[in-house]
Amino acid sequence: MDVAAAYRHCEEITWSQARNFSYGIRLLPPDKRRALAAVYAFARRIDDIGDGTMLAADKLAALAAARASIMAVAAGSAPATPGPEAAGDPVLVALADAGRRFPIPLEAFGELIDGCEADVRGTSYTTFDDLRVYCRCVAGSIGRLSLGVFGTRDVATAAPLADALGVALQLTNILRDIREDYRDGRIYLPDEDFKRFGTELRPEASGWPAADPKLVDLVVFETERARDWYARGLRLMPMLDRRSAACTGAMAGIYYRLLQSIAAAPELVLQRRVSLSPGQKAMVAVRSLAGAALRSGRAGSPQSATTAGGPR
């Protein structure tokens, strides 16, 4: 398959389905934009398997097949042409090419699949450390894959920061989706936190979780925990080039604005899905690009990574 066509296919998936990440990805130069679109397209495929309507056994089989295909691509990303496992699959063709152009740790997709398998099995979490491992799998992995596209001089220092930012984004997701996840039989917040606040998720007649003051207090606690992870993860920003920092700032900034909305009215996540408008997201992206340009002009100075739409 033609590599250019494969990348176009991945970009079509990204622009049509990445409701938050597309704002940041568009800020990258063309080669990095195409590579990150390929990363997103395969991650979307994995998520769609986990969130789809197949029986659990069929989902696990599909995830195993996805794991085998990406590990084959990862093992063969150095040769000049994609292996046979990628030949008829535009997403794998694009990923194989991206893996040759950039030091993308394609094996990190295995961790994303680990997290998705945990969802399929209905795994719950006793402690925050348990939940942190899950967040590292499903979101930190994407951070490290993205870091391979962005590039940095000190991967050993940057990778844990990308992980931390992933934890922050996933905690925000968990809070935003607490109602829908509960309806679908998933509870992500750790049991130790429910016990700490003397509360639990209980159904109303409608099937949605009933709100009570202690549960709202728990949501507030989790928003503060997420803020701490943003503060850690955003230390990654000065380690990236201007356009990569703008991309990261846009994606993280959109989720941080969402977290701010939840913190301002924590009871709302128990009543409806909290979201930002397209205009709000676009404004975060514009500020991220401007903030990255400002930091680039002050290279070498210890500027805060929060200028680009994150904690302010």
Side-chain angles (χ1 to χ4, degrees):
M1 170 173 283
D2 178 65
V3 172
Y7 277 124
R8 286 196 297 272
H9 176 78
C10 293
E11 289 185 306
E12 288 170 3
I13 293 172
T14 302
W15 309 148
S16 65
Q17 299 187 41
R19 290 174 294 181
N20 292 322
F21 283 0
S22 63
Y23 287 89
I25 295 175
R26 289 182 186 276
L27 301 180
L28 292 170
D31 57 341
K32 292 186 177 183
R33 184 174 65 238
R34 288 190 293 267
L36 200 53
V39 168
Y40 175 83
F42 194 74
R44 179 76 264 166
R45 176 180 299 181
I46 294 168
D47 285 346
D48 285 347
I49 293 171
D51 293 337
T53 59
M54 292 188 293
L55 296 175
D58 294 334
K59 288 182 178 182
L60 292 174
L63 289 170
R67 186 190 299 273
S69 68
I70 192 59
M71 292 309 165
V73 171
S77 61
T81 58
E85 73 287 333
D89 186 324
V91 176
L92 293 180
V93 168
L95 274 176
D97 185 75
R100 291 190 297 274
R101 295 174 182 273
F102 299 98
I104 305 172
L106 294 175
E107 63 278 1
F109 277 115
E111 295 174 62
L112 176 60
I113 294 170
D114 289 341
C116 194
E117 288 176 341
D119 286 342
V120 172
R121 294 189 174 101
T123 303
S124 57
Y125 303 95
T126 302
T127 68
F128 178 72
D129 282 345
D130 297 332
L131 179 61
R132 179 181 54 79
V133 171
Y134 168 79
C135 292
R136 185 180 186 276
C137 284
V138 298
S141 61
I142 302 301
R144 282 174 275 120
L145 288 159
S146 301
L147 186 62
V149 175
F150 296 152
T152 184
R153 293 181 180 179
D154 186 357
V155 175
T157 300
L161 299 179
D163 265 337
L165 191 54
V167 171
L169 299 183
Q170 190 60 28
L171 288 175
T172 305
N173 266 337
I174 288 170
L175 291 172
R176 179 195 64 190
D177 297 340
I178 191 169
R179 294 177 79 243
E180 290 82 1
D181 287 335
Y182 179 77
R183 178 196 60 194
D184 295 338
R186 297 176 182 173
I187 298 176
Y188 289 100
L189 296 180
D191 185 59
E192 67 178 4
D193 290 351
F194 285 106
K195 291 179 178 177
R196 176 182 301 178
F197 286 88
T199 189
E200 61 182 343
L201 286 171
R202 297 185 301 273
E204 295 177 325
S206 63
W208 296 110
D212 70 72
K214 291 181 179 179
L215 189 54
V216 173
D217 289 343
L218 171 58
V219 171
V220 172
F221 171 79
E222 301 295 355
T223 62
E224 291 302 315
R225 170 177 273 162
R227 286 182 200 269
D228 290 342
W229 284 95
Y230 278 106
R232 297 184 205 182
L234 285 169
R235 284 156 42 202
L236 173 67
M237 300 280 279
M239 303 181 70
L240 304 176
D241 65 73
R242 180 175 66 87
R243 299 280 286 275
S244 296
C247 172
T248 303
M251 293 188 289
I254 287 168
Y255 277 86
Y256 191 81
R257 282 286 301 275
L258 177 61
L259 184 72
Q260 287 179 311
S261 297
I262 295 170
E267 70 282 356
L268 289 184
V269 294
L270 301 171
Q271 301 169 11
R272 60 176 176 81
R273 184 185 177 93
V274 177
S275 62
L276 301 183
S277 69
Q280 289 173 308
K281 294 175 183 179
M283 182 57 69
V284 172
V286 169
R287 288 177 176 173
S288 296
L289 187 59
L294 178 63
R295 284 194 304 278
S296 179
R298 298 177 179 176
S301 64
Q303 295 298 313
S304 168
T306 62
T307 306
R312 300 172 68 86

